[in-house]
Amino acid sequence: MPEISVLMGTYNEKNKEHVAQAVDSILNQTFTDLELIICDDGSKEEFYQWLKKYCRKDARIRLLRNRKNRGLAVVLNKCFRCSRGRFVARMDADDLSKKDRLLKQAAFLKEHGEYALVGCEAEMIGDDGVWGIRHMERVPQKTSFLSTSPFIHPSVMLRREVLVRMRGYRVLPRTLRVEDYDFFMRLYAAGYRGYNLPEALFQYREDRRAYGKRKYRYRVNECWVRYQGFRALGILNGNLRYVAKPLAAGLIPGFVMSRLHGRHFAG
């Protein structure tokens, strides 16, 4: 039985090379007692057949498939039900994990029983390589959720029993595209805590020029998740302006958001 289960979802990924690199970054970890569970969420047959063939390269990969697109929460819950690891790590299909990521995160959770999950900092990468770094708060508090999620979702590792007690991710139309923000706030509301290692063990792929193109309906979803989450955390009073923040950000032109985003994560 593997000690770590890594959960990944795919859906009509545009760049197969990025997917291959993401998969290989897990298979090439210094910590080898792992399984990589990939669930394809209703991709076109051509992509799925390519993925199926690529996954044959390593017996530690387990490939699942949804015939229809169901969303990330459904995908991750399905992967988790098929997992066996003591620790459960996340991974996206176009990001990269550095070789010691899983080793260091598992070691941290073994040594610090007071934390339910551990994340890390991340280098921001695009077509031209690393263009910035995302520094994370070391020990996020409840109020840390006011601005944004204090954890980079695909960089986290959790204890298996925590996911069981939380019953995984909520599958609701209103949590679509903000499943992670919702999950982390529910986790904190239940009394759990997390930690971010002060090291960039992860590379997060994001084109700084494309920032700000998020569909407005997903911003509405985020407002709902913020309201519900802040209320459960007991931090809603006096902070309604943070609930409306996604709607306000959506009114700012995309090129302005891209410029601000680039400055925020520069070096």
Side-chain angles (χ1 to χ4, degrees):
M1 184 176 295
E3 186 163 22
I4 297 176
S5 298
V6 183
L7 314 185
M8 176 191 292
T10 61
Y11 176 61
N12 288 333
E13 306 298 332
K14 296 179 180 179
N15 192 318
K16 294 175 184 175
E17 181 61 27
H18 289 170
V19 179
Q21 291 172 356
V23 169
D24 289 348
S25 76
I26 295 299
L27 300 179
N28 295 329
Q29 289 286 302
T30 53
F31 188 98
T32 59
D33 186 17
L34 61 86
E35 62 179 355
L36 172 58
I37 304 178
I38 303 174
C39 180
D40 183 74
D41 196 23
S43 294
K44 294 179 180 179
E45 191 66 20
E46 187 274 335
F47 173 80
Y48 177 72
Q49 290 301 324
W50 172 85
L51 179 64
K52 184 178 179 180
K53 182 178 180 180
Y54 196 81
C55 287
R56 291 173 184 158
K57 67 183 297 180
D58 196 301
R60 292 174 296 172
I61 302 177
R62 301 173 66 193
L63 179 60
L64 313 174
R65 188 185 192 188
N66 291 333
R67 290 294 177 178
K68 295 182 179 180
N69 183 255
R70 302 288 303 281
L72 184 60
V74 172
V75 163
L76 295 181
N77 288 341
K78 184 172 183 175
C79 287
F80 178 64
R81 287 194 298 270
C82 295
S83 70
R84 299 167 292 170
R86 173 186 177 188
F87 301 116
V88 179
R90 275 284 291 115
M91 183 67 192
D92 276 350
D94 58 351
D95 298 326
L96 298 171
S97 287
K98 294 189 177 181
K99 288 189 174 182
D100 291 336
R101 175 201 160 190
L102 299 184
L103 177 69
K104 292 182 177 180
Q105 289 184 322
F108 177 86
L109 290 177
K110 290 176 183 177
E111 296 172 8
H112 299 275
E114 67 272 28
Y115 292 108
L117 77 154
V118 59
C120 62
E121 300 189 340
E123 293 174 343
M124 310 294 285
I125 60 173
D127 293 338
D128 299 325
V130 178
W131 60 266
I133 187 167
R134 187 170 176 182
H135 296 292
M136 306 302 293
E137 184 178 2
R138 191 82 58 89
V139 188
Q141 305 299 313
K142 290 182 178 180
T143 52
S144 302
F145 288 93
L146 289 172
S147 178
T148 188
S149 173
F151 299 101
I152 301 172
H153 188 209
S155 81
V156 302
M157 178 182 289
L158 305 99
R159 301 182 188 278
R160 180 179 193 82
E161 62 269 23
V162 173
L163 267 168
V164 171
R165 291 171 187 165
M166 296 301 298
R167 298 184 179 181
Y169 295 80
R170 285 205 292 184
V171 180
L172 296 171
R174 287 184 172 179
T175 60
L176 188 63
R177 297 297 178 90
V178 281
E179 301 93 345
D180 56 328
Y181 201 4
D182 176 67
F183 175 78
F184 292 137
M185 284 195 283
R186 288 197 302 117
L187 187 146
Y188 264 61
Y192 294 110
R193 295 293 179 270
Y195 187 93
N196 282 309
L197 296 175
E199 185 176 356
L201 299 172
F202 193 77
Q203 291 188 317
Y204 189 84
R205 191 177 301 279
E206 184 173 271
D207 184 355
R208 52 182 161 180
R209 293 165 293 187
Y211 189 78
K213 292 183 178 180
R214 190 180 191 184
K215 292 182 179 180
Y216 212 73
R217 69 174 180 270
Y218 299 137
R219 296 184 182 278
V220 174
N221 286 358
E222 184 176 345
C223 289
W224 184 86
V225 164
R226 282 171 176 258
Y227 180 84
Q228 299 295 329
F230 295 171
R231 186 172 65 174
L233 291 171
I235 59 173
L236 181 61
N237 290 342
N239 290 310
L240 283 175
R241 65 188 184 279
Y242 289 102
V243 174
K245 179 183 175 183
L247 297 182
L251 298 175
I252 301 175
F255 75 91
V256 175
M257 289 296 292
S258 296
R259 188 171 300 174
L260 294 173
H261 190 62
R263 290 177 181 175
H264 181 72
F265 293 119

